[in-house]
Amino acid sequence: MEGVSAFDRDRKVEPTAADWTGDEKERKLPADDGDALKEPESGPSVKTIGGDEIQPVGRDDFPSGPSGYPPEPPPEFSHYDAKKDEDDDGNVFSHDHHLNTDGEALYRFLLQEGAKPPTVTVIFHGSHQEVRTRHVTRRDSNGHTYTATETYTETITDFAFEIDVTQHILSEPRGPPVWIVGDREPAHRGDRKRQVDNTPYMVGDETSTTDLEAGKKAMSTKSNWRRKATDVEKGSADGRKERRFTYGLPSWVLLPGETRGTEANIEEPIARDVFQGAANTKLEGIDDFNLRPPIRALRDWADEYTRSQRMLKEFVFAKEVYGWNWGQLEAALKSVIAANYSQHGTTGVTFRFSHNQVSVRGDNKLSKMLSNIWWYILLWILLVYPLVIWPFKRFSSYGGGDWHVAGSSFALTKWVHLTDSRPGQTTEEYQAEYNTNHPNLVAEPTKLLLKQTPRGVSQLVGLREGEWFGQWKDTVGALVRQRHVSYGNPFRVPMNIRGDGIGRGLDGYGSNLQS
């Protein structure tokens, strides 16, 4: 597989907490001492050129405990198991009283649940309609029965199946990065309407320490910098969200032509260092090197939520997946379907993300009733919800309030900075220098995906969408032709149906192919 090295197993790639002393700007690079991460018990692993293992994880292979990148040990805190439930999409929600009153408990709950990877499934479906006739027995006005012929339209499912992609998500040694929504990005900040924060530090495109501290002081004293987002701002935000998803970009990437402050901010300093230039995309003009800290950290937002007296409040922590160009992958898969589907029907490819949200809601009876689907339907039937609850939730200062201000990111592919490279060094120079320093190792330059960055050299890790497509396109085509229909049981391994795979294992077959 491209991007995987087979010759280097004796160097760290990413810094550890021990590599930071005092001022976070004073950094010690890891020594070439043969240290390695502990190998996971199961599952395939991806090794960088430096030997670090980045483990693709399944649904249950998540790090336990709070995630993030604390520069120093966290304060003492007794463990608390909050009461929680899951909806039909696997999203976690909780009405726990302690989470609604203790900001520290809410903060740690969001980090713990936010470290669990979401589930990604590709859903294929195709159907057509047929007009059919049938004989029915009817009775006329005189009570006599007779047989009539009528036509009707029936939808025929031609194929329906799913492929699991979750297994290719890369785990992070320190957990996924936690980000906070940008100050200029319209978002729900405790209100039913989307708002933006006009903080004092938002002058120009750069953030100085003085401006940041001034912004923190102002925001902690009074939220007078917050205002309702305009329709233009909300439309632009919706467009940015769509572009990020299409190109597979994380929230902290500043898109071309966009104003600084619309991108998310990564909380911890080590995470900002590790994820500089991590986005894998062919989109020109993005900026993911100037990562900034947020004015309000997740802990601050958690405190704000717990102080709120709104009855129908909700804190939503999102979990996103990045690293694949979903737009191009969808187009390629639709081309495979078109080449193998003979009916004149309706086809589609859908990327389904589940287990991708954590919600904490009010601990009162009304909020709990609205979380129960049967109570919710009953309240609609009785017109209680549209006539009473909705106006209360929408207009009352004690009604509804949403916080959509934070999340975590999980990579399918990413660029990893090689810490023993240096600014200005080319990929050829780096590899030649490394081969010279390690003469006993056998290099495979054609299998390494390296690029030059302002910091030095980075290596791409993870399975790219083109590689995944190459593994699955024949299987998808065969399932479409076979009119395969299955629900709730996604494929995880491609079928061995390649034409050149027939006959493999027979003595002399390989030599005949090569001659």
Side-chain angles (χ1 to χ4, degrees), residues 118 179 244 249-252 318-322 356 407-411:
W179 48 264
R244 284 196 176 98
L249 296 174
S251 293
W252 64 79
K319 294 188 284 186
E320 64 180 9
V321 179
Y322 70 97
N356 63 335
S408 55
S409 300
F410 298 80

Side-chain angles (χ1 to χ4, degrees), residues 11-84:
R11 183 180 51 76
K12 299 177 182 176
V13 170
E14 298 178 357
T16 64
D19 299 324
W20 297 81
T21 58
D23 188 348
E24 68 182 47
K25 296 182 180 179
E26 295 182 3
R27 174 182 175 183
K28 299 188 299 180
L29 292 179
D32 194 3
D33 55 3
D35 290 345
L37 295 174
K38 181 180 180 181
E39 184 175 355
E41 296 180 358
S42 61
S45 63
V46 176
K47 283 186 179 294
T48 67
I49 187 174
D52 277 341
E53 292 187 358
I54 299 179
Q55 179 77 21
V57 296
R59 180 68 192 94
D60 299 323
D61 299 327
F62 49 79
S64 60
S67 66
Y69 303 77
E72 56 186 27
E76 292 295 330
F77 183 81
S78 59
H79 181 70
Y80 174 72
D81 291 323
K83 298 178 181 178
K84 59 183 179 181

Side-chain angles (χ1 to χ4, degrees), residues 4-13 32 34-36 47-53 418 420 430 434-435 438 441-444 448 459:
V4 181
S5 171
F7 66 89
D8 184 2
R9 314 198 188 283
D10 62 352
R11 183 180 51 76
K12 299 177 182 176
V13 170
D32 194 3
D35 290 345
K47 283 186 179 294
T48 67
I49 187 174
D52 277 341
E53 292 187 358
L418 303 175
D420 61 350
Y430 175 85
Y434 190 84
N435 292 343
H438 301 78
L441 298 179
V442 179
E444 300 178 12
L448 298 180
Q459 180 187 359

Side-chain angles (χ1 to χ4, degrees), residues 181-184 197-216 218-219 260-261 263 265 292-296:
V181 69
D183 298 307
R184 284 180 172 156
D197 280 337
N198 288 329
T199 54
Y201 88 100
M202 292 167 55
V203 180
D205 287 341
E206 301 298 329
T207 304
S208 68
T209 304
T210 304
D211 293 332
L212 183 60
E213 293 304 319
K216 287 183 177 180
M219 294 296 289
R260 185 164 297 281
E263 79 282 12
N265 307 126
R292 307 182 304 169
I295 280 187
R296 284 193 175 188

